[in-house]
Amino acid sequence: MVDLAKAIYAYPGAGQPTDLVFAAGTVLLVNEKSEDWCRGVCQGKEGWFPTAYSQALDCKFLEQKGIPTASLVSVLRSTDWLVYATEDNKLYYVNVATQITTWELPSLSMATSAPSLPDPTGPLGGLAALNINPSALEALMALHNGPQKTVGESEKPSRRQKPKMVVVNGVTFLEGGPEQKRLNPEQLSYADHFWADKDDRTGYDVILEKHLNGKESMKDMAELFKERAALEEQYSKGLLKLFKSALGEQEEGTLRNAWVSIKTELKYRSEAHATLASEIREHLEKPLLEFKEAQKKGRKEHQQIMEKSRKQLQAFDASIEKTCQLLNKSKKTSRDESGSKRRSVAGDDLKKLEEGYNAAQRQWIDDMINACQDYEKQEDERSDFLKDLYFKYIELCVAVNEASAVSLSRATDIIQRIDKKLDREFFIKNRGTGALRPCDRVVDL
């Protein structure tokens, strides 16, 4: 039976000539496997690598895809070819001599006939589909093409070199393993920085808290604009009431005209603030509440999905722990044939649980990545929305100030026409009681 595996991490080796060096995604032919180490082959080179760095490939699945196992093994044993597997296990081939790439299983007779091979994206260009850096691959090719040494059992690496797996709240991490490539190497992203739990809270919970705080913040903003609109409306009504009052009606002349312009400015200012109140409600308060509700739906969906997948993952983890405890107990207490059978059954159950756990964890990882991407998108949209909203608020405030400035400008023009001489003439002409001044009185005796 042929055992094939896919590298889930890049393994640069530990500096030993018996190390098998490979990039993440490399397909490996496994000749020997233990809990800690595997002895395998790729590009015709044989060597040791940590078991934890790989996962099994289903040969039946490959046969169903029209890939004969025997032919694939021949290619893996060839020094001319490196084979990679995508996330959905579609195989991809790279000729290390010609750097020609192809999705089709090559024949060994075509190893050096580069022009006859299909070239999907150009030399080494197709590696983008596998998230492999071409320059890194070239360095790995150089390592592969270095001096080869026959590998034997006596040269098997020490057990203490095994990368340590740590399970934290049901999630498995590789401690001391290779540095993982970022999912988004171009910039900081949620999906690269919130996998671990912190202070008894999951990374997802931390992200969710930020977005719930954002929701509350927008709710508070809507309340502030609601109160601001109410104040503007109240202020508008107060100004209008002053405009309609009889205060100062006894004034005359150009001073009266100036006073009337002051009161008229109150009317214009009242209208401007009434408009501002309406605009705040229509263009600030209402859109804030609508945007908040629109983001709520997507957040709820992710909350349900993440809660379900995390619970499923933790349930598998608990079952594995329980089965391991029973298996260890059985090893210590039962050494007869019946105990051996129970251990065999428990071992089979443990294998099934391991497969279920890994499937659940991969699902949880996918759900987490999807949630991170959507939450990042939501936060970007929220940031853009609030930026536009703040500018709109400034625009409205400037508009009401400009309206007030126009009315004040009118009043200023009238105030500048105050003329004390004209006012005195107006008063005398309209209210004068006579130009004849009194004279001394002479009393006749």
Side-chain angles (χ1 to χ4, degrees):
M1 180 179 177
V2 175
D3 286 331
L4 299 176
K6 177 175 72 173
I8 55 178
Y9 304 106
Y11 182 58
Q16 300 298 320
T18 55
D19 291 335
L20 186 63
V21 178
F22 48 75
T26 304
V27 176
L28 309 165
L29 173 62
V30 180
N31 293 331
E32 182 181 341
K33 182 177 181 179
S34 69
E35 180 184 357
D36 301 335
W37 292 92
C38 289
R39 183 162 57 92
V41 176
C42 70
Q43 201 208 336
K45 305 296 190 301
E46 184 179 36
W48 293 96
F49 62 90
T51 304
Y53 280 52
S54 67
Q55 65 182 24
L57 272 180
D58 188 349
C59 292
K60 291 182 179 179
F61 173 81
L62 297 176
E63 293 280 357
Q64 291 172 358
K65 293 294 183 179
I67 303 174
T69 303
S71 299
L72 177 58
V73 168
S74 297
V75 172
L76 290 170
R77 291 187 181 281
S78 167
T79 58
D80 292 323
W81 292 95
L82 280 170
V83 185
Y84 296 93
T86 62
E87 289 186 2
D88 58 355
N89 291 337
K90 184 178 180 181
L91 300 191
Y92 189 79
Y93 308 88
V94 178
N95 189 294
V96 298
T98 63
Q99 296 189 350
I100 291 297
T101 59
T102 177
W103 292 102
E104 302 296 331
L105 179 67
S107 63
L108 297 184
S109 61
M110 301 167 64
T112 57
S113 55
S116 64
L117 289 173
D119 184 10
T121 53
L124 293 182
L127 298 175
L130 302 172
N131 208 20
I132 297 171
N133 187 315
S135 61
L137 176 64
E138 290 172 2
L140 285 169
M141 286 179 179
L143 287 171
H144 276 298
N145 293 326
Q148 185 177 4
K149 182 177 179 179
T150 304
V151 178
E153 174 63 27
S154 61
E155 294 166 317
K156 185 175 181 179
S158 168
R159 181 182 180 87
R160 63 177 178 273
Q161 293 176 292
K162 176 189 175 184
K164 182 181 179 183
M165 287 190 174
V166 180
V167 180
V168 181
N169 294 335
V171 182
T172 302
F173 298 93
L174 191 63
E175 192 175 81
E179 183 178 353
Q180 294 175 327
K181 184 176 181 180
R182 285 185 178 182
L183 296 172
N184 189 354
E186 302 300 324
Q187 60 184 1
L188 292 177
S189 66
Y190 292 175
D192 284 315
H193 297 279
F194 288 92
W195 291 105
D197 292 359
K198 186 176 182 180
D199 299 330
D200 296 327
R201 301 170 66 216
T202 67
Y204 173 78
D205 289 337
V206 174
I207 295 173
L208 178 61
E209 181 185 45
K210 172 179 172 55
H211 285 258
L212 292 177
N213 287 340
K215 180 198 75 171
E216 289 301 313
S217 177
M218 287 192 291
K219 181 180 177 182
D220 291 344
M221 292 175 191
E223 183 63 26
L224 182 146
F225 287 130
K226 178 181 178 181
E227 293 184 15
R228 173 69 192 270
L231 289 172
E232 292 293 334
E233 190 172 54
Q234 182 182 1
Y235 182 49
S236 172
K237 290 178 179 179
L239 292 175
L240 189 61
K241 181 179 179 181
L242 286 174
F243 165 72
K244 292 179 178 179
S245 72
L247 297 173
E249 287 295 322
Q250 61 272 36
E251 190 58 79
E252 296 178 332
T254 57
L255 283 173
R256 177 181 176 81
N257 293 340
W259 177 246
V260 169
S261 73
I262 293 293
K263 291 186 69 178
T264 302
E265 191 277 332
L266 294 178
K267 176 188 175 184
Y268 291 138
R269 188 180 290 269
S270 171
E271 292 172 350
H273 284 275
T275 299
L276 178 59
S278 176
E279 294 284 331
I280 285 175
R281 292 190 179 101
E282 183 65 25
H283 297 292
L284 301 179
E285 179 191 357
K286 183 180 177 181
L288 262 171
L289 295 173
E290 290 176 347
F291 187 86
K292 179 176 74 72
E293 287 302 311
Q295 287 202 327
K296 179 180 178 181
K297 181 180 178 182
R299 187 169 54 245
K300 276 287 185 183
E301 291 176 355
H302 282 301
Q303 280 183 266
Q304 294 170 356
I305 291 172
M306 290 302 298
E307 182 178 353
K308 180 181 178 181
S309 61
R310 185 65 181 255
K311 283 183 177 179
Q312 185 179 34
L313 182 59
Q314 290 176 331
F316 271 111
D317 177 57
S319 297
I320 287 174
E321 289 297 319
K322 183 177 180 181
T323 304
C324 285
Q325 290 174 4
L326 292 174
L327 191 58
N328 290 333
K329 183 178 180 181
S330 175
K331 289 179 179 178
K332 294 178 181 179
T333 59
S334 301
R335 300 185 179 277
D336 56 10
E337 184 177 348
S338 61
S340 177
K341 289 181 178 180
R342 286 196 299 272
R343 287 192 294 275
S344 177
V345 172
D348 291 341
D349 292 342
L350 187 61
K351 186 64 177 177
K352 292 178 181 178
L353 287 172
E354 180 187 277
E355 292 173 356
Y357 171 88
N358 288 332
Q361 179 164 261
R362 285 192 290 271
Q363 182 62 53
W364 175 78
I365 291 172
D366 289 342
D367 293 340
M368 180 67 172
I369 292 173
N370 289 335
C372 285
Q373 290 173 341
D374 282 356
Y375 280 145
E376 275 192 358
K377 181 181 177 182
Q378 279 195 6
E379 186 61 14
D380 287 348
E381 291 172 348
R382 193 177 82 93
S383 179
D384 291 339
F385 171 80
L386 290 178
K387 182 178 180 179
D388 292 340
L389 191 86
Y390 296 159
F391 276 127
K392 184 64 178 179
Y393 173 72
I394 299 299
E395 178 186 321
L396 294 177
C397 291
V398 169
V400 74
N401 289 335
E402 288 177 346
S404 297
V406 170
S407 61
L408 287 172
S409 178
R410 294 194 196 102
T412 299
D413 291 340
I414 296 174
I415 292 170
Q416 286 176 339
R417 290 198 292 269
I418 291 177
D419 190 318
K420 53 190 175 185
K421 182 179 178 181
L422 289 176
D423 285 351
R424 186 165 58 249
E425 290 177 356
F426 176 85
F427 175 69
I428 290 173
K429 289 178 181 179
N430 290 280
R431 304 286 292 279
T433 59
L436 185 63
R437 293 188 300 274
C439 63
D440 291 344
R441 183 175 178 179
V442 177
V443 179
D444 293 331
L445 297 177

